[in-house]
Amino acid sequence: MIQMKQINHQFIIGKKKRKTIVPVLENVNFQIKQGEIVTIVGKSGSGKSTLLNLLSGYIRPTNGEIFIKDQNVTKLSEGDWADFRIQNLGFIFQSFQLIPSMTAYQNIELPLILKGASNIARKQQALDMLEMVGLSDHADYYPNELSGGQQQRVSIARALVVKPPIILADEPTGSLDSENEQELLNFIQKLNRDLNITFLIITHDDQVAAIGHRTLLIKDGKLQEEKVHEVHR
Amino acid sequence: MKFIDKIRFVRQNMKKNRMRVFMTVLATAIGCAFLIMLASVGFGLQKSIITDLTEGKVLNEIYIHGKEDPGPENKSYMSDKDIEYFESIDNVKAVTRLQYLHYSQEAVVSIEDYQIQPRVAVSYFPAEVEMGMELSEGRLPSTDNEVLVGYNFKEYLEKPSEDANEPKVSYEDELIGQNLQLKIRKFDQTGNIEYKTIPLKVVGIKEKLANEFDKDTNITISDALFQQIEEFTQTKKGEVLFQEIEYEEDYLDGVQLNGERLYDRVSVYTQNVEQVKGVSEEIREKGYINTSVTDQIQEINTLFLVMKIGLIFVGTIALIIASIGIFNTMTMAVTERSSDIGIMKAIGAHPSTIRQIFLIESSYIGILGALIGTVSAFVLSKAVNIGLPFLIETMSEESSPEGLMFSYIPLSLVVISASISILVAVFSGWRPAKKATSVDVLKAMRRDL
Ligand SMILES: Nc1ncnc2c1ncn2[C@@H]1O[C@H](COP(=O)(O)OP(=O)(O)OP(=O)(O)O)[C@@H](O)[C@H]1O
Ligand SMILES: [Mg+2]
């Protein structure tokens, strides 16, 4: 489902004359199968977010190749990446990234609009999603009128509304209390079971890491070890 | 993303900053109205002048002035040979031709004590009738001595009075059926003046001329009578050769009677206005100098075209100033919404979608501005056309020329200025829209924070 081959990534800081090269990822290779929940852990600054940004197409690897759904996405143009994203990927961000001027309902509807869905289908699916995340009576609330947990649920609903086969999440529980966190983890596992959605979740929380079928550790830009949680098998 | 959704999206975005959008639309509307008003003066003047020029004129008439290279003896007159040629050209409907009695004849027409010194003409009735000559009274002449008179003939048929201060008395009675006397003259061999009086009978009066300032006092006689006069004077057109003048040999040869008719005024009419240009050029190539109203209109139109382009150009400057406002508004909109744009891109909005959304927004401003500007320009134009004549009258105590249109807005002007407005709007939205597409997803989301 997802594969990274010989990925190296480095950032270049500063202007032409005084530029410094910051190597972040070195020789990263891994593969994720369909229906897996894979968690990624590592110290702050180890390159977790960078890895996810590469998989999202927000940045391009210095070298190496990335395959998603058997498609080489390494050299996709910006527009093609956009189309690929809307078709295949759902995103859950640490700070939710809801559009503040849109209601919960409108935020959830947005991916459907971008995809060009019809009015009726849009309404049906967005309302279904709202119900699924238990926010049916908060449809017309704006993000700043919702609690952190509710906002995160809206953002999950937005990620799921187009029924993507893969969901990428960067610290999805970072802004949640333990109760909301547990709720979200249960939800992820349910989606994985029921809809066979593949998850890649970055976290520094052991409890979150534990829901993965496998956990990848990144250390100094290298994929250090892989821990398989037999519990889930 | 569907187009209708983009529009909906744009409308929502615009609602968020109504005041700013309104001011930008206002600036565009003012620019557009200014452009239309400025150019409408050019259009208005052109229309007034063309209307004035063509009033009562026949547009398919080509007036023949003469030949570029007139022969030695026949001066610039057209002969039957020329007429024959004109009539042979394709698309020519009719050729009207007039012969005038020579001015030196100073023929006098009288009835009772009343007198007039009219222009004596011979016309070719079939062509005249075909071209719509109408009589206000009576009928066309059928015998040699029957004549037609101009509409104003009677008015100028006056009793001569001794005292120049006394008002002249015009002939009042019915003219149709009356007998007139035409008095012509010549010098005999001994140098004595010899008169001849020819009886005429009025059978018809011509229609009033289209332009009310033109007075028609002509008298139209038959060709036979005209020849009779030529026989009497033994000169072409009844020219009087004065004893005291030494004419050149060539000149005297020229006025010799030789059975040829010489026409003073020849007009060629085409079947329709479109053919005027072609026929006029064909005739010109053959060496005939000619003009047509259509020609003149074309010249005037070319002149006004230059003027209108100039005015539109100046007016466009106002729109360009307004476009700075649009540019500003759009740039601010992009900056304000850059985090929204980032989020949209992050979940899969195509860059072209983002660009289109902003281009739609700027063209929306352009369209709205053009619409409001056009409507206001129409209102303003109406007000100017009504108000300015009043103003001129009160300021200069002189009435403004009747029917003068100060401002005229044809559809073409609306189309031109609306297109310019929208084009300018789209153009000024281009860079902001491009800026929007290049918003960096990660920076916008500050995802790493
Ligand atoms: N845009 C960038 N330009 C330059 N350096 C960057 C950029 N983004 C990240 N880095 C560097 O890359 C390294 C990895 O950053 P990254 O955000 O991937 O860490 P992380 O593992 O997600 O850390 P955290 O757990 O704190 O989120 C860091 O040293 C960071 O300074
Ligand atoms: Mg991170």
Side-chain angles (χ1 to χ4, degrees):
Chain A
M1 200 65 171
I2 302 173
Q3 193 184 7
M4 272 195 167
K5 276 188 186 170
Q6 297 291 334
I7 288 292
N8 285 293
H9 191 77
Q10 52 201 32
F11 289 104
I12 293 161
I13 324 185
K15 291 272 155 61
K16 273 178 186 169
K17 276 181 186 166
R18 284 190 192 157
K19 71 180 173 191
T20 34
I21 294 174
V22 184
V24 180
L25 295 175
E26 268 175 66
N27 259 336
V28 174
N29 288 288
F30 70 87
Q31 206 169 348
I32 295 171
K33 289 198 282 290
Q34 187 178 2
E36 270 193 303
I37 299 177
V38 173
T39 51
I40 296 177
V41 295
K43 276 196 290 193
S44 179
S46 58
K48 304 185 295 295
S49 295
T50 305
L51 184 89
L52 210 67
N53 290 340
L54 286 167
L55 287 175
S56 312
Y58 301 153
I59 52 177
R60 288 165 192 280
T62 313
N63 35 55
E65 284 182 323
I66 301 169
F67 293 83
I68 302 177
K69 282 186 79 185
D70 294 330
Q71 191 182 337
N72 189 342
V73 295
T74 328
K75 294 216 165 65
L76 286 188
S77 69
E78 212 194 335
D80 290 343
W81 247 120
D83 291 338
F84 186 82
R85 249 175 250 153
I86 196 80
Q87 293 299 334
N88 300 299
L89 304 176
F91 301 90
I92 304 172
F93 308 105
Q94 180 180 357
S95 45
F96 322 132
Q97 305 293 357
L98 299 176
I99 294 183
S101 59
M102 292 183 179
T103 62
Y105 173 82
Q106 287 172 330
N107 266 290
I108 294 169
E109 193 191 19
L110 183 61
L112 292 169
I113 294 177
L114 291 177
K115 223 176 161 180
S118 74
N119 270 355
I120 310 161
R122 242 153 57 190
K123 186 158 189 189
Q124 191 56 49
Q125 290 174 36
L127 289 176
D128 281 355
M129 258 4 260
L130 266 170
E131 187 167 351
M132 190 165 159
V133 297
L135 287 171
S136 290
D137 45 356
H138 288 72
D140 295 329
Y141 283 52
Y142 285 91
N144 63 1
E145 296 161 352
L146 295 168
S147 76
Q150 287 168 330
Q151 286 182 56
Q152 189 60 299
R153 277 187 274 159
V154 172
S155 88
I156 291 167
R158 183 181 64 186
L160 285 171
V161 75
V162 286
K163 308 268 170 356
I166 300 165
I167 288 187
L168 305 175
D170 193 348
E171 315 245 14
T173 59
S175 320
L176 302 180
D177 60 22
S178 59
E179 198 181 321
N180 276 318
E181 179 181 311
Q182 194 52 52
E183 205 180 308
L184 176 61
L185 294 179
N186 292 342
F187 194 52
I188 288 174
Q189 284 177 311
K190 182 172 141 44
L191 287 170
N192 176 250
R193 267 199 315 275
D194 298 352
L195 300 170
N196 203 28
I197 294 175
T198 309
F199 279 88
L200 184 60
I201 303 165
I202 290 175
T203 185
H204 52 254
D205 183 327
D206 290 343
Q207 206 187 335
V208 178
I211 72 157
H213 300 137
R214 289 189 289 149
T215 299
L216 308 177
L217 170 68
I218 297 185
K219 197 173 175 187
D220 300 332
K222 290 188 180 119
L223 215 53
Q224 283 277 330
E225 79 189 53
E226 254 186 54
K227 190 161 85 187
V228 180
H229 304 267
E230 290 300 338
V231 203
H232 302 298
R233 291 275 127 173
Chain B
M1 197 168 179
K2 281 188 281 185
F3 189 71
I4 179 90
D5 287 323
K6 287 176 192 158
I7 304 251
R8 216 169 49 99
F9 204 80
V10 166
R11 289 178 61 102
Q12 266 172 17
N13 283 338
M14 285 169 78
K15 270 189 205 146
K16 281 173 210 157
N17 217 320
R18 274 168 214 256
M19 195 61 186
R20 194 175 66 202
V21 170
F22 172 76
M23 294 312 271
T24 317
V25 168
L26 187 68
T28 313
I30 292 171
C32 185
F34 179 74
L35 164 60
I36 295 179
M37 281 311 291
L38 206 63
S40 79
V41 176
F43 281 93
L45 287 180
Q46 180 182 24
K47 195 173 156 72
S48 303
I49 287 176
I50 297 291
T51 313
D52 206 49
L53 194 74
T54 55
E55 190 156 56
K57 291 253 173 71
V58 187
L59 294 183
N60 60 343
E61 177 181 356
I62 301 168
Y63 174 59
I64 313 289
H65 293 278
K67 286 184 189 159
E68 252 169 53
D69 182 21
E73 80 269 31
N74 55 6
K75 300 172 191 160
S76 64
Y77 297 121
M78 295 291 112
S79 70
D80 281 318
K81 243 187 8 234
D82 300 310
I83 302 287
E84 223 168 275
Y85 161 66
F86 295 141
E87 282 177 332
S88 74
I89 301 170
D90 280 349
N91 297 332
V92 167
K93 188 178 176 191
V95 180
T96 61
R97 56 268 199 181
L98 292 178
Q99 291 165 270
Y100 291 133
L101 209 56
H102 198 269
Y103 62 87
S104 59
Q105 186 51 252
E106 294 178 358
V108 175
V109 173
S110 58
I111 178 168
E112 296 158 19
D113 296 339
Y114 299 90
Q115 282 189 2
I116 185 170
Q117 219 184 75
R119 183 139 70 162
V120 181
V122 176
S123 47
Y124 179 64
F125 288 124
E128 298 284 352
V129 169
E130 176 139 35
M131 289 328 297
M133 182 187 76
E134 284 189 32
L135 301 182
S136 65
E137 268 179 78
R139 57 168 175 87
L140 289 178
S142 54
T143 67
D144 291 354
N145 282 59
E146 290 178 344
V147 297
L148 280 187
V149 295
Y151 185 82
N152 309 95
F153 184 85
K154 200 160 115 175
E155 193 183 319
Y156 286 83
L157 184 58
E158 292 161 333
K159 224 181 237 177
S161 59
E162 302 293 305
D163 189 355
N165 289 331
E166 229 168 89
K168 300 235 171 110
V169 181
S170 296
Y171 186 77
E172 291 293 344
D173 289 343
E174 174 64 48
L175 210 52
I176 302 252
Q178 292 291 349
N179 290 311
L180 306 174
Q181 307 291 327
L182 171 66
K183 197 162 143 199
I184 51 169
R185 58 178 187 162
K186 71 167 182 186
F187 287 93
D188 64 11
Q189 269 82 8
T190 56
N192 289 325
I193 199 155
E194 192 181 317
Y195 292 100
K196 180 177 179 179
T197 306
I198 303 170
L200 305 173
K201 187 178 180 198
V202 181
V203 293
I205 298 173
K206 284 205 263 182
E207 193 55 80
K208 196 159 46 175
L209 291 178
N211 187 338
E212 61 179 314
F213 299 107
D214 289 344
K215 303 290 182 201
D216 182 4
T217 58
N218 287 4
I219 182 162
T220 310
I221 63 171
S222 66
D223 193 44
L225 207 59
F226 195 81
Q227 280 176 25
Q228 213 177 305
I229 296 169
E230 286 184 333
E231 287 295 326
F232 171 72
T233 58
Q234 281 301 305
T235 54
K236 281 183 181 166
K237 303 183 154 298
E239 180 167 354
V240 177
L241 297 173
F242 295 94
Q243 212 63 37
E244 60 269 27
I245 299 174
E246 292 240 349
Y247 295 98
E248 297 206 0
E249 204 64 34
D250 275 356
Y251 188 87
L252 289 174
D253 282 351
V255 299
Q256 273 307 304
L257 276 185
N258 58 359
E260 201 182 36
R261 289 189 188 82
L262 296 180
Y263 298 101
D264 296 69
R265 198 190 153 94
V266 175
S267 284
V268 174
Y269 293 85
T270 57
Q271 302 282 359
N272 60 48
V273 181
E274 284 72 45
Q275 295 157 347
V276 169
K277 202 169 165 24
V279 171
S280 145
E281 265 161 25
E282 189 175 336
I283 295 175
R284 196 164 294 141
E285 261 163 42
K286 282 268 154 71
Y288 296 96
I289 302 163
N290 66 78
T291 51
S292 58
V293 179
T294 310
D295 253 1
Q296 291 173 5
I297 291 174
Q298 252 161 17
E299 261 168 52
I300 291 172
N301 280 349
T302 315
L303 201 79
F304 269 100
L305 186 69
V306 174
M307 176 179 171
K308 286 186 291 190
I309 289 172
L311 289 175
I312 288 174
F313 183 78
V314 173
T316 303
I317 293 173
L319 271 172
I320 289 172
I321 295 168
S323 84
I324 296 171
I326 298 177
F327 179 84
N328 214 12
T329 298
M330 294 310 299
T331 307
M332 277 169 81
V334 170
T335 311
E336 263 173 18
R337 271 178 245 153
S338 74
S339 85
D340 293 9
I341 296 165
I343 294 169
M344 285 175 68
K345 282 179 82 176
I347 61 176
H350 202 283
S352 68
T353 303
I354 308 274
R355 186 177 58 235
Q356 279 165 32
I357 285 171
F358 283 95
L359 283 181
I360 289 170
E361 183 163 339
S362 63
S363 25
Y364 204 92
I365 291 174
I367 291 168
L368 221 62
L371 209 73
I372 296 171
T374 305
V375 171
S376 347
F378 268 105
V379 173
L380 228 72
S381 165
K382 192 105 203 159
V384 165
N385 281 336
I386 294 171
L388 217 55
F390 274 118
L391 206 70
I392 290 177
E393 270 169 49
T394 47
M395 299 267 278
S396 64
E397 288 174 5
E398 220 174 271
S399 70
S400 73
E402 201 178 324
L404 180 62
M405 212 184 235
F406 293 98
S407 160
Y408 168 63
I409 306 175
L411 187 68
S412 60
L413 178 57
V414 173
V415 171
I416 290 170
S417 50
S419 312
I420 293 177
S421 305
I422 294 164
L423 216 72
V424 160
V426 171
F427 193 74
S428 50
W430 200 266
R431 264 192 73 86
K434 212 171 150 218
K435 194 180 153 197
T437 61
S438 60
V439 163
D440 185 81
V441 174
L442 292 177
K443 268 186 202 151
M445 297 200 306
R446 280 173 295 157
R447 194 176 162 176
D448 291 332
L449 282 182

